[in-house]
Amino acid sequence: MQLVSSALLVAFLAAPSVLSYSFTTPKWGLKTPVVQKKQAAKLVMKHGNTQRNAAPAFSLGSLFGGNGSGTASSAGTANLEPHPSVRPHISPLNRLAPGAASVENDEKALPVHPDVRSGVLENGLPYIILPNASPPGRFEAHLQVFSGSADEQEPQQGIAHLTEHVAYMGSRKRERLFGTGSQTNAYTDFHHTVFYAACPLLTPRGNQPMLPMALDALLDVMEARVESQRLEKERAAVLSEMTMVNTIEYRVECQILSTLHRENRLAKRFPIGKESLIRSWTTDDVRTWHRTHYRPDNVLLYLVGDIDPDEAEKVIKEKFGHVSAEKQAAEIKIPEIKKEAAELADAVVAGTVKSAQSWHYPPVRHDWCVPKGTKIDPALVGPDIDYDIHLQLPMPLDDKVALLKTEEVSPGKKIRPHIFRHELLQSFSLHLFAKRPVEPIVDLESFRHSLARRIALAALQIRLNVGGRSDDPAFTFVEFNQLDSAREGCAVCSLDMTAEPERWKDAICKSLGEIRKLGLYGVTPGEMERYASSLMTDAEQLAAQGDRISHGDQLSYLMETVANGHTFMSPMQSYYMTSKALQSLTLEEVNKAASDLCSHITGFKEGCEGAEGPAIAIACSPKTSDTSGPSYCDEESLVKCIYDACQADVEPEEDVVVPHTLISDSEIQTAMEENKPEWKPGHFSDGTPDTAPDSLTRPFTLRRLSNGIRVGVAQNSAESQRGHLRLVAPGGRDAEKRLGFKKGAMAIGARTMQEGGAFGPWTREQVELFCVDHLLMVEITCNEESITVDFVFPTTNVGNVGFGDNVQLGITGTEAVMQIVREIIVGFKWEEDALGRSKQSFRSSHEGLQKNLEGLTTERIMEAMTQHDERFLSIDVDSVNAITLEEARLAVMSQLLPSELEISVAGDFDVNEVLNMIYQFIGTIPADANEQYRKEADNIVGRVPDLKEPGEFIQLELPDSDPRAVSYVAGSAPNMWGYLADGSTVAERVLAADKRCSDYDRRRRSHPLFAYVALSLLSEICNRRLFSTVRERKQLTYDANFSFTGFERLLGGWFLVTVTASKEKAQQALDACKETLAALRKTSPISSDNVESAKRVVLNRHEGELRTTQYWTQLMSGMQEESIPLKGPLTVTDFNAVVESITPRDLQLTLETLGLDDDKLYTAIGRTIQPQSGAADEEEEALVRQAPVIGMRRGGALTG
């Protein structure tokens, strides 16, 4: 049941102009819709289309409502020189710009969201306001600056990111937001820099409006003071950030992006830039960049939230109305940069996608790869100009790079190949691309085309993910998609695939064969029906959610839609247009979209018409000295393999018979007769009285079934028509050890269930497609203390056939989930091929750990703290290989005993209906089901091992060509509920240490929730102190993190401080973390301000998460478990009151329950060392060797 990994959903559940796939974690079914995921701090490439000339040509005066001249005019600027970078350009508001083509009378045009308001101040600053109700009493403000690393000149590489740090971290007005329950951050990418603040409407103290305060902080960004002290702090932070994220994953991304965009600026303008330049810049350098790019015509302000648009407009004008480009220009102090900025500005508007399509895009052009005969707007090709806007000429600061040659494998058929080898890589990966112009989604025709493309992509992805997994699959991961990318200024059609190194050729042949099959023959009628229905269901769910979509999700969708020039619709408008488009969408249209998507691959076959332009192929593989073995791949063999794979004949896909229900009504009726269930009272150990078996309670209903299964149900309408179910079997790897199973048997068995999925008469493929039809996501995991099965599902009828009046309803997603839960417990079929995939996953994970600096260092410190207790360590390859299917089955089934299980379900449904389904499908499971697998153990609740004293200092060295370091400080701690390894509790220790406390304090501290809340607040305070001391004051790191292990059932746990630094400063950073924790105990104890600030963070997080069904299932899980005695209904009902009651004295005493004495600490430093082979061989010279770089992934951004 690895079914539709997180990927498929986008095809279904993304908003109409958004599409995204992710296959990093195998899951059955679908993932949460993209529009439900906040992407503010990392850009994820999404599918949509952009319209050229969506708005008339930009001029600061005429278009943005100025005085009609070509530049904005403001009081006090008449005698100032014009800004060197200001040029007439299209409005960044795109479809929302004043003067954009009217759509009111165009029946074919997509409707614009009725509540969105946009405008432009007299100085040229544009803004967008979107009132949104969820969560109430909060809003988000984002300031987007349309300059990123791609806009940097030769001596400025990295300055956009550094300026972001200086502008926001140095803002005193931003500091006023601290302690108010606000979150602020900023990030830099190729095409922009974004600053944001997510705030409550009113201050916690005084009830003062916070919108002016948030906009003051963003205004401070526009008027940033570049002070020497702040520059030095942020320079140190950026240099540390380089080291922190310079992982092998990021280096792979650099190779991919450099190859993909070799013909433009993106290949040489990674956001982190050059270390030598970063170290050299003065305040004048940073100020010059800031004043050049932070100007009214080059930004866009977004406001989304529970706000009054009229009032918001007044505050925007009041705060930003006086800013002018001319004033900014007057402070540009470096004449030569000023001159070069003017030349670059001329080149940008002369011939880039930024000037031709969207001001949100980077100033680039692309080598397009499109189906034969496709007409491309000449403006997107760009004229040849004298200025080297695309950085094709060599420059002194350029890294030494391998030249990329485009191979013409056959007349008119081109591939640009590149190979990247590295000693830290363990798998082969292929990344095959075609770049295409972003198309507009602004009318019914373009909307229909986008739906057709999404259906085709969904069909292919499910084929790859379900049908492509044979008994011995060639690839371990595969994803095919086409996404519009504002950060790259194009749509990227991509195949991303990983495989074992020796099987790379088979993997390429298999994946390309499936793509060619789609391109040549299209989708089947069954697939068309399945995925069209899924799109309709998703649109219905979003429409039902309406303004309950969170501010962050609305803002992410709004930003991406505006950036790509799409029409921004409301969920209800999107639902209406989806219904209208799908009712007339034909199979032929979908197959034409499929043909276009795959044209760059199908065109490689001899006799077929090739695509116009090059396909781009990057292969990444482990470095090896054996150039004749099956795992070796070079450019020539890569191109040949791709070409040969495209010559094989393929056959059309055949439809699979997919059941509409897994369990028939007659089967359930028989079960009811044989095992008639009863409801029993809910029972708790936190002091809450038992609940009645026949009544509903708020905020949740908690009962037990007569077969012993514990049940919790909560209604939550915040996520419309969606639900989450969690099935928990306590035990996990702790039970694996206590019950005498082989090392890894429990974890490998749980993953085997994830990889399998056959039930009763149904095959794995049928069950997985059943999950697809019903929009289910299923994920099975095993940790140290439990096996957990999580389901995400729609609560409405799904698997429907037809549209409108002709629709035939399927069963609800809720009923589909109940059927699967029942079959997991009593009807699961264990298969050898699923075990094989499970074991391969664990082997890859363990082998990958040996090449991961952070992971391996953490493993070493855990080995020391646990005395090599296998419950807390990765499973080695020999142990994985030793597990048989029978051993995996026996281990997992020993945990699936009804008397031990707990089911928690929350969602937008009728509680009585869900209880009735549980009664029928789960209550009829016999009480003695799986009793034959039961194994007895002496103790029910496990504990973490005692720490040996004194602690240890561990040093680890890992071969890597780039210098990196990570440091850790760890020690003993309570579990999440305050139990220590010896069985004592935080409350007991706090009361023992404060014998003179009042009766009131004794009652407070005896509350079951006391330790849980105190530890949550303590974690926030420690993190803030570490940031202030280790980063801000000592300037040793970009970030330091404090966390608890968070066990619920196991007694005891650990705390862990993680800090990254340069190799030279790793010891200093470690010592600084120890000093910070010591100071909290003695010289700088916890203050009232610390506590109040932490309370705001914890309460706001809790309130926000209460709007999600997943959080409700987490809260309910364990409430009726005897192994978590302090967890019960009071966890929810008393949470706010307990948080507000906590005092600095409580936290100071709680801090003493941690093992913070110096001789009890375990510390570690992991450092990289140069591989024994020394410098890279000449033929292994990297395409791009950035100074240590900042992670972003394709589509990701820098968070600073």
Side-chain angles (χ1 to χ4, degrees), residues 809-1095:
L809 296 179
I811 62 174
T812 65
T814 314
E815 181 176 340
V817 163
M818 297 302 170
Q819 294 183 7
I820 293 178
V821 171
R822 178 185 177 89
E823 292 300 295
I824 284 176
I825 298 172
V826 298
F828 189 83
K829 290 184 178 179
W830 292 79
E831 301 168 312
E832 282 288 352
D833 65 315
L835 175 69
R837 291 189 293 273
S838 171
K839 292 167 77 169
Q840 181 55 51
S841 173
F842 277 96
R843 283 192 293 265
S844 297
S845 176
H846 185 76
E847 290 166 353
L849 181 69
Q850 310 311 307
K851 297 182 177 182
N852 182 283
L853 182 65
E854 291 81 4
L856 191 57
T857 309
T858 304
E859 182 88 343
R860 294 291 178 263
I861 203 170
M862 289 301 296
E863 288 173 352
M865 289 197 298
T866 66
Q867 292 111 69
H868 292 265
D869 190 323
E870 61 195 31
R871 294 175 296 170
F872 308 101
L873 305 176
S874 67
I875 307 169
D876 62 273
V877 172
D878 288 342
S879 297
V880 171
N881 290 338
I883 300 297
T884 66
L885 182 65
E886 181 66 4
E887 289 165 340
R889 183 177 70 88
L890 290 174
V892 171
M893 298 307 293
S894 73
Q895 305 299 290
L896 299 184
L897 307 175
S899 61
E900 305 297 326
L901 299 177
E902 183 176 40
I903 290 175
S904 305
V905 57
D908 183 20
F909 45 54
D910 181 276
V911 172
N912 273 316
E913 289 182 4
V914 173
L915 286 170
N916 188 54
M917 289 182 195
I918 293 174
Y919 182 82
Q920 293 183 55
F921 288 100
I922 312 302
T924 53
I925 293 173
D928 60 356
N930 302 326
E931 194 64 29
Q932 68 271 30
Y933 301 109
R934 181 186 291 273
K935 289 191 71 174
E936 299 296 338
D938 294 336
N939 56 327
I940 296 175
V941 179
R943 55 190 289 275
V944 304
D946 293 325
L947 289 184
K948 288 171 47 179
E949 296 181 17
E952 294 183 28
F953 172 56
I954 299 155
Q955 296 195 73
L956 178 138
E957 293 181 335
L958 182 72
D960 186 355
S961 55
D962 287 11
R964 300 181 64 236
V966 61
S967 302
Y968 292 99
V969 179
S972 63
N975 75 3
M976 184 183 294
W977 296 96
Y979 281 92
L980 289 98
D982 62 3
S984 64
T985 68
V986 166
E988 291 169 352
R989 293 201 179 186
V990 167
L991 289 171
D994 195 14
K995 293 185 170 137
R996 300 179 64 183
C997 68
S998 66
D999 289 342
Y1000 170 70
D1001 285 338
R1002 288 183 180 277
R1003 289 196 301 272
R1004 280 192 312 103
R1005 294 166 178 172
S1006 298
H1007 193 287
L1009 205 52
F1010 172 78
Y1012 176 89
V1013 168
L1015 292 167
S1016 298
L1017 295 171
L1018 195 58
S1019 178
E1020 292 296 330
I1021 290 170
C1022 289
N1023 271 307
R1024 183 63 197 170
R1025 285 291 186 92
L1026 287 165
F1027 181 88
S1028 300
T1029 302
V1030 186
R1031 172 180 164 155
E1032 289 286 280
R1033 186 160 60 82
K1034 293 183 177 287
Q1035 301 176 28
L1036 293 171
T1037 183
Y1038 170 71
D1039 196 16
N1041 176 263
F1042 179 96
S1043 62
F1044 292 111
T1045 46
F1047 298 135
E1048 288 199 276
R1049 298 165 185 84
L1050 294 176
L1051 300 182
W1054 303 283
F1055 72 86
L1056 185 69
V1057 178
T1058 307
V1059 58
T1060 56
S1062 65
K1063 291 174 65 174
E1064 298 75 18
K1065 294 183 178 180
Q1067 185 65 55
Q1068 290 176 263
L1070 187 152
D1071 293 340
C1073 291
K1074 291 170 61 177
E1075 291 169 15
T1076 302
L1077 297 178
L1080 266 175
R1081 301 177 70 190
K1082 302 293 183 184
T1083 60
S1084 182
I1086 297 168
S1087 68
S1088 296
D1089 284 345
N1090 295 155
V1091 177
E1092 289 305 310
S1093 179
K1095 286 179 179 179

Side-chain angles (χ1 to χ4, degrees), residues 724-737:
H724 191 281
L725 184 147
R726 171 166 287 188
L727 169 66
V728 176
R733 296 203 63 198
D734 179 59
E736 175 185 281
K737 181 177 181 179

